Amino acid sequence: MAGAVASTLGHAPAAANQGRYQSNPATREASWVRRTLLTLGLAFLGLFLILPLVAVFTEALRKGWEVYIAALTESDAVSAVLLTLTAAVIAVPLNLVFGVAAAWAIAKHDFRGKQLLITFIDLPFSVSPVVAGLIYVLLFGSQGWFGPWLQAHDIKIVFAVPGIVLATVFVTFPFVARELIPLMQAQGRDEEEAATVLGASGWQTFWHVTLPNVKWGLLYGVILCNARAFGEFGAVSVVSGHIRGQTNTLPLHVEILYNEYQFAAAFAVASLLALLALVTLVLKQFVEWRHAVAVKEAAAS
Amino acid sequence: MTTATLAAPAADLAPKRRPRRVLPGFGPTLGFTLFYLSLLVLIPLSAVFFKSFSQGPETFWAAASAPRVVASYKLSFGAALIAAAINVVFGLILAWSLVRYEFPGKKLVDALIDLPFALPTAVAGIALTALYAGNGWLGRLLEPLGIKVAFTPLGVLVALIFIGLPFVVRTVQPVLEDMETELEEAAASLGAQRWQTFRLVLLPILAPALLTGFALAFARAVGEYGSVIFIAGNIPMVSEITPLMIISKLEQYDYVGATAIAAVMLIFSFVLLLAINGLQAWSARRMGER
């Protein structure tokens, strides 16, 4: 379940915890211990997380707004934006449908080998992105299994847009499923079974019973999936072929500019991606909050 | 009513012990899941093994154990281990602070922990390089002390610490939140010092979560590419990571060599994935006992 634990929604700590530990002598540390731990933790966070983030924006604006705007409106940058959007627009809905189907089969039914299936779904998280790109080269590259056939029919997958989409689908594969499976397992089957017994069809049960219960979890999975789709570098880099204006996504465009020593431009494009990451964090926080509210309301009713 | 629900009572007449399926849609959803999984993940991954075995063991071994490749294993695995260990220490401190202490900006800090998940790795890579290069904010301070970070194995370590941090915090945090204070109260009433309580009572409870976080951060770090290649400098035998070796073989059209290294990494990922699943089951049992 590599990579998944950290993204699981639905852990809402009791609000009553606030200050509870510090008012109880048994769970309290000496104030110098508390101060030392806080200082160490926050210094580490500042050094490793906040400073790089600040560096992206500072470097991006080092040569002024004109260079910044020019880097973002240049035609190669625009086509990189479009390609990144294309890959995400295809990969996210595909993995959304897969995640819902997998969660329905796994969480609402019993069958042999369920644990093994969950492990397989997690696989893309523990495979190196570079290996993820390589596997599609082995299948569809000119020396690959389907290479000669594809060449004979003049279809390009690797070093073209389809390869980029495939690699993106692979690296974002588990996000929605990983989010929905534990959530739907925790909610049990009683409500769906009641709906079915009362005569609802499978679709009706899903739309009117299951979906309202899991909508925040679903959205959470989609947000994470989308962030990864926008930002994937390693896997896409292997299958892209780095053709400017054609097979360059935003992260690859950052690399090209950086390697050409156009640092201000590279950081300008990078700042766009960093901004997207910050929006992702805000949305994520919002969905977590909404989910906690929904859970509390459900518990109260 | 669907045919599935109509058919259910009839199936019930048969004296079978098999549990009856009440909810519809099992066949299509499982079928689609297996189809999609096989098509996009399982069959492509199996290509790595077919390709590496088709060349015979000698070729495979020669490619997977070339000196430059072995040097990259040492760096990738070594730096990933050290980074995961550092993340365990600071991840625990951060998770502890977030659960137990009140401080201004706590919500913001909590949200920022996930930054390495959300920030594209290439962006992290160039940002860290800019910070630690000789003329960067941190590089300028460190270089007079004789510490070179960018374009050395130390730079690889810095990048791997960056990407691994959330794994430890997010596995330890829920366990800390769910922990009852009774245990600490009992320990205190029996005369234990705070440090003794932490070491003998809390740490054993946190151990499975810490180990899981360690394994997750380690697994991610070994395969990491985007955030590392910019800061590593990629000097052969010194600061080349294993994923970069796959890329450089591919660029030379050495598919056999690339695949052999990929197979080694994949086997390692499988083993680690199984270990992580085992650890999580252990962790869940631990939490269930309480």
Side-chain angles (χ1 to χ4, degrees):
Chain A
M1 305 188 186
V5 173
S7 64
T8 300
L9 174 73
H11 197 89
N17 278 357
Q18 305 298 328
R20 173 174 72 125
Y21 297 106
Q22 294 317 310
S23 56
N24 183 343
T27 55
R28 184 171 59 196
E29 289 86 36
S31 71
W32 69 267
V33 176
R34 190 173 65 230
R35 271 199 297 267
T36 312
L37 287 179
L38 263 177
T39 313
L40 273 176
L42 294 180
F44 185 80
L45 195 85
L47 191 65
F48 279 94
L49 298 194
I50 297 172
L51 214 51
L53 193 61
V54 175
V56 171
F57 292 101
T58 323
E59 295 287 333
L61 293 171
R62 175 156 287 182
K63 290 197 176 150
W65 283 98
E66 263 169 54
V67 177
Y68 184 85
I69 301 291
L72 294 183
T73 49
E74 174 229 357
S75 75
D76 285 345
V78 172
S79 57
V81 170
L82 289 178
L83 181 59
T84 301
L85 286 175
T86 310
V89 161
I90 299 172
V92 174
L94 274 177
N95 285 334
L96 170 68
V97 171
F98 162 74
V100 170
W104 182 264
I106 289 170
K108 303 292 176 189
H109 302 273
D110 293 308
F111 56 93
R112 261 167 202 274
K114 188 190 273 193
Q115 210 48 50
L116 187 69
L117 180 60
I118 296 178
T119 306
F120 277 143
I121 292 176
D122 278 340
L123 259 181
F125 272 152
S126 54
V127 171
S128 171
V130 169
V131 177
L134 171 75
I135 57 179
Y136 293 110
V137 175
L138 291 180
L139 284 185
F140 305 117
S142 56
Q143 296 185 30
W145 283 357
F146 303 110
W149 186 87
L150 289 170
Q151 256 173 353
H153 291 79
D154 204 23
I155 305 171
K156 265 191 90 80
I157 291 185
V158 169
F159 308 133
V161 176
I164 290 172
V165 172
L166 272 174
T168 308
V169 170
F170 184 94
V171 294
T172 58
F173 188 88
F175 279 103
V176 179
R178 278 306 311 166
E179 211 51 60
L180 284 184
I181 292 168
L183 191 61
M184 279 166 68
Q185 273 175 336
Q187 284 172 347
R189 303 168 194 177
D190 296 352
E191 291 182 29
E192 282 86 0
E193 282 173 356
T196 308
V197 170
L198 290 170
S201 73
W203 275 115
Q204 285 175 318
T205 308
F206 176 74
W207 278 111
H208 299 293
V209 179
T210 311
L211 199 58
N213 278 337
V214 300
K215 62 176 181 233
W216 295 113
L218 191 73
L219 195 59
Y220 193 81
V222 167
I223 291 169
L224 296 177
C225 184
N226 190 57
R228 182 72 193 262
F230 278 154
E232 178 51 29
F233 178 72
V236 169
S237 165
V238 174
V239 295
S240 138
H242 305 273
I243 307 162
R244 276 188 116 150
Q246 282 179 41
T247 61
N248 258 348
T249 63
L250 273 178
L252 296 178
H253 192 56
V254 170
E255 184 199 20
I256 288 191
L257 291 171
Y258 189 85
N259 287 343
E260 287 173 350
Y261 301 102
Q262 300 190 42
F263 294 129
F267 277 100
V269 179
S271 75
L272 196 65
L273 287 165
L275 220 53
L276 272 171
L278 290 177
V279 170
T280 302
L281 289 184
V282 171
L283 283 176
K284 197 168 150 294
Q285 213 62 12
F286 172 76
V287 169
E288 268 168 20
W289 169 68
R290 284 302 317 219
H291 179 77
V293 169
V295 167
K296 229 171 264 167
E297 275 170 4
S301 66
Chain B
M1 250 201 214
T2 62
T3 44
T5 44
L6 282 173
D12 211 19
L13 295 175
K16 276 184 193 161
R17 300 259 310 153
R18 215 170 127 258
R20 182 165 52 97
R21 293 196 192 288
V22 179
L23 297 175
F26 176 63
T29 52
L30 185 68
F32 176 69
T33 302
L34 292 175
F35 169 75
Y36 190 77
L37 179 71
S38 310
L39 195 70
L40 281 158
V41 178
L42 299 182
I43 295 172
L45 280 178
S46 69
V48 170
F49 293 105
F50 280 111
K51 181 91 182 172
S52 28
F53 294 144
S54 69
Q55 305 297 324
E58 284 89 25
T59 329
F60 176 84
W61 188 245
S65 67
R68 205 168 141 191
V69 178
V70 172
S72 84
Y73 296 146
K74 282 184 190 153
L75 175 64
S76 273
F77 286 80
L81 269 176
I82 300 170
I86 292 173
N87 277 329
V88 163
V89 175
F90 285 95
L92 176 60
I93 292 176
L94 276 167
W96 183 272
S97 305
L98 284 171
V99 174
R100 298 259 167 153
Y101 302 150
E102 295 303 317
F103 54 91
K106 182 170 154 173
K107 281 236 162 75
L108 190 69
V109 168
D110 194 17
L112 270 176
I113 298 278
D114 286 326
L115 182 72
F117 285 149
L119 194 70
T121 52
V123 177
I126 63 169
L128 290 170
T129 313
L131 282 177
Y132 288 96
N135 58 356
W137 295 344
L138 295 171
R140 216 176 318 172
L141 301 175
L142 292 171
E143 224 141 85
L145 306 172
I147 306 169
K148 274 188 75 112
V149 177
F151 319 124
T152 70
L154 210 54
V156 177
L157 182 66
V158 167
L160 297 183
I161 292 173
F162 172 84
I163 53 137
L165 179 68
F167 290 101
V168 179
V169 179
R170 295 299 189 224
T171 41
V172 174
Q173 205 175 5
V175 180
L176 267 176
E177 278 165 353
D178 284 346
M179 201 148 63
E180 298 296 338
T181 52
E182 278 89 344
L183 288 165
E184 288 161 74
E185 284 159 8
S189 72
L190 292 170
Q193 299 294 314
R194 191 70 190 127
W195 170 244
Q196 286 177 311
T197 309
F198 177 76
R199 197 166 52 93
L200 300 171
V201 179
L202 300 182
L203 209 53
I205 300 173
L206 293 174
L210 282 170
L211 264 174
T212 308
F214 176 84
L216 288 169
F218 179 53
R220 171 73 201 263
V222 167
E224 179 57 22
Y225 176 71
S227 61
V228 178
I229 47 151
F230 295 100
I231 200 170
N234 309 327
I235 307 154
M237 304 297 290
V238 177
S239 62
E240 278 182 327
I241 53 166
T242 308
L244 179 75
M245 293 310 303
I246 298 179
I247 299 254
S248 74
K249 298 266 177 205
L250 269 179
E251 277 169 358
Q252 297 155 21
Y253 301 100
D254 179 3
Y255 289 88
V256 177
T259 319
I261 304 169
V264 171
M265 291 194 78
L266 266 184
I267 292 169
F268 170 77
S269 310
F270 291 146
V271 172
L272 211 57
L273 188 63
L274 287 176
I276 290 167
N277 276 341
L279 276 170
Q280 282 180 332
W282 180 35
S283 185
R285 269 204 309 280
R286 270 291 182 87
M287 282 175 83
E289 280 167 14
R290 268 152 238 287

